[in-house]
Amino acid sequence: MDVGGETLDFSRLINLRANVDNITPHKIAVVAFIREYGLLKIEAKTMINCTMAPKYRKDFCILALKLIQCPDMEFKDLETLLTDGRYNLLSVHLENFCVRLKNIHVNGISALMDCVTSTVDKLMIEQSETNPCTITRCSVLGFYLRRIMLHLDKLTFVQVVALYKSFCLYYQKGRPGLMMRSLSKERLNHMESTVGAPCTGSPSLPEESKPQEVFTRMNLIERDNSLEECQWSRKQAELFTAQQANLLQINERKALPPKQLQKTIMQIMNDIPEYSDIHFLSFLNCIRMKEFCGAQDSLYNCFDRTVFNICANSNNMNDKNKNFRYAALNRAAMHTQFGHFSLAMEGVQEALCAAQEAADTACLAHAAAWGALAGGRARRAALLARVPRAPRIAAAAAQLMAQHAAVNAAKPAEVFHIITKGDSINYHHSMTDLMMASLANTAALWSLYGKTEMASISCQLLLNLNTKCTVGASSVWQWSEACAVAGAGAASVAAWRGEGGLAAALLSHLQHRPPAPLRAVAARHRTAAALLAGKWEEAELNIRQLSSLDRWESQLLKAEMYFLRGDAMDALETLQDILDYCKTEDDSLHFAPLRLQAMILMSQVQLSYSVSQSTNILLLNEALSWAKKFHLHYLAATVEMHIANVQLHMGCAKNALVLVRKVLPLIMAHGSAYDMARGLLLYTKCRIATAPPTGEARIQVFQSCCEALESVKENFCKIGAQVRLLQTWYIQAQLYNDVGNIAARNQCAWMYRQLETQNPVDLSNMLHIMY
């Protein structure tokens, strides 16, 4: 833009203090802390046979680095840090430090200026044989001291006075502290006569000679809300942002709590308004808490400030375009996280166009990945086409391609071949987060195909994976959404096998982790237990809780509750809603198993309440063809068990027995405790129906069936299926009566009566349970 022959210079609009540190009381205290240590070290060198122990030197270096990097803290917090025993510090060092701070407080601005300048003059002198250099100019401490002195020299007199007032308030709020109380009154009254390190500040003034106006001024300062004690420097803010963003990525639990993190973010925004990265950290924190409005505002603020700074400080238009395209990419990611897929695809298209224009292959690959998550089936296939990618992006694309192939009826061998290719890239480049995602994806695919043992192994491998990494000065175990899914999967397998106590223990142990998958598993486990026990109110409450986490899973459980309760019309209406959704959303990652489960449950409702079974057989055959098309082996076996059950009720007992014998091994190998029990019960019914009419052979078959029913009762008892347990006791009593075992028959009848008395069940519900 050209106005009057002059080009508009945006750099004039940028805050000139962007790279200038604020000199705060905390920084003055850190300088005093370094000063007294350096003077002690000089004194130790001048004395014969006197050296400072290594533990003191090491702990001082660690603590000094921490004080330089951490944000400003109140004086009482600094006192606690120095005296709580975490660091080995010389008592004389702490005493001299306290004396120096009191000297600054008493003697005024001259003592404050002398503290900084004398530190540089005495500790960073030229190295010689007679004058040893305590702190080199190019060390971390040297850079820090020189920067403080440089910025202090640039302050005006008014700003120095304001700094001194702020220091007095900072010092007063810390008294009395733990460290101050450890010093004797004589030590404090003779500040300059301390033994150890010499102090060269201005001569101290007695407390009573200080003018009364100073104390009046201090009282006014305490009521001045505009005075900020704690201020962030640019370097401190950058370190804090990097650490918290890293922790949010690898382990949210180790990061600051959301409320505390947002409060700190607001402090940094107030101190350094031109620092754009802090807005992106706010964006990540809002995404973490599923707060859409805050996430959107933070994202826009971040990239608005980034583009503005680039326009002001650089003429490179490619950098400006880079921020535009990555702003669109992050907008697409944000909308995908919140389920706004149409808006997400708009951001993907914008990012793709900008990336193609700039030939940015990395942005292209990331945009394609988010488009694959937000787009439909055809769009996902196009975006995941084979194109050259960087290793990390190629490994992530392999996971998406495996999911895409699985929900589009690819053979399991092809799906796991894609997974293996991605794993080889992950292991070759040591990408731990993608290793975790791959194991979670593998567990989900095994579960999709009905191989629960393999899914359990993948979950255990993920939970036992060594994911320790270094963040700052400590080690952190990575815990992402993949680990939460693995924990939920392990708990699901335990509940699936009837180990309710183990499932509850796992969920309790992992309750402090990211909660969404774990809450869903806990609600699903409680709902299934309540349905099997016939506790409808409890089941309805848990279904309502599950609906906020997994809508269609809760709808399926609601339909099952209606069916078991005897509400056939409500069950059919709910199941029809699920089937309608599956027809419109046939590219979702779970539509096939959801549709099959709805069809199986609908066949049960029709079998219980319909006279004609032809429609039921057609529905089950359609479900079987769908299960075989998508290679859902366990669901296919479940459908065949239901077909055998219908054949048994239609009088085709021999055909039912042949089908059950074919399917039962898969059910016993990978089925739940409930499915194993009812599968073995159906097998027993088929054997009873096909037993010889009379003779010793009939008695032997009945004896064998009674033994099999013991395993059935054990599994039903393990999961608390009271109605099924009553049914099994009844059948076993009938069999013992037929073989003439009166004692065993009476025992079964007595157990039936005891169980019915302890857990009264509406016997009409037994008629609804066929398989």
Side-chain angles (χ1 to χ4, degrees), residues 13-28:
L13 304 177
I14 301 298
N15 189 352
L16 297 177
R17 299 180 65 253
N19 295 319
V20 177
D21 284 344
N22 296 317
I23 305 300
T24 60
H26 171 77
K27 292 182 174 63
I28 299 298

Side-chain angles (χ1 to χ4, degrees), residues 570-682:
D570 290 338
L572 290 174
E573 183 179 351
T574 305
L575 291 171
Q576 192 60 48
D577 290 341
I578 297 174
L579 293 176
D580 292 341
Y581 164 76
C582 292
K583 291 177 182 177
T584 56
E585 300 290 335
D586 62 346
D587 63 336
S588 64
L589 296 179
H590 64 290
F591 85 98
L594 181 65
R595 178 174 182 173
L596 283 172
Q597 291 172 14
M599 294 172 72
I600 292 172
L601 187 55
M602 182 174 283
S603 73
Q604 287 185 274
V605 178
Q606 292 178 356
L607 181 62
S608 300
Y609 295 99
S610 177
V611 176
S612 176
Q613 301 300 332
S614 58
T615 306
N616 191 20
I617 287 292
L618 291 175
L619 182 62
L620 288 173
N621 284 331
E622 181 186 359
L624 183 60
S625 66
W626 266 88
K628 290 182 176 180
K629 176 183 176 182
F630 287 91
H631 309 285
L632 307 181
H633 305 299
Y634 185 77
L635 285 176
T638 304
V639 172
E640 288 181 313
M641 293 296 281
H642 281 278
I643 293 175
N645 186 46
V646 174
Q647 290 176 340
L648 178 63
H649 283 80
M650 293 176 65
C652 305
K654 291 185 178 180
N655 293 336
L657 181 61
V658 171
L659 188 56
V660 170
R661 279 178 174 168
K662 169 191 169 185
V663 177
L664 191 59
L666 180 59
I667 298 293
M668 299 301 290
H670 297 285
S672 64
Y674 180 65
D675 286 346
M676 287 191 291
R678 64 178 184 167
L680 196 56
L681 180 60
L682 179 61

Side-chain angles (χ1 to χ4, degrees), residues 705-715 728-729 732 736:
C705 289
C706 288
E707 295 175 1
L709 288 178
E710 292 295 330
S711 176
V712 173
K713 290 188 299 183
E714 181 181 352
N715 283 319
T728 307
W729 280 114
Q732 194 174 31
Y736 279 128

Side-chain angles (χ1 to χ4, degrees), residues 480-489 492 507 513-524 549:
S480 61
E481 192 74 14
C483 292
V485 171
S492 297
L507 292 173
R513 303 296 185 179
L518 302 173
R519 284 207 313 266
V521 168
R524 193 179 299 117
L549 302 169

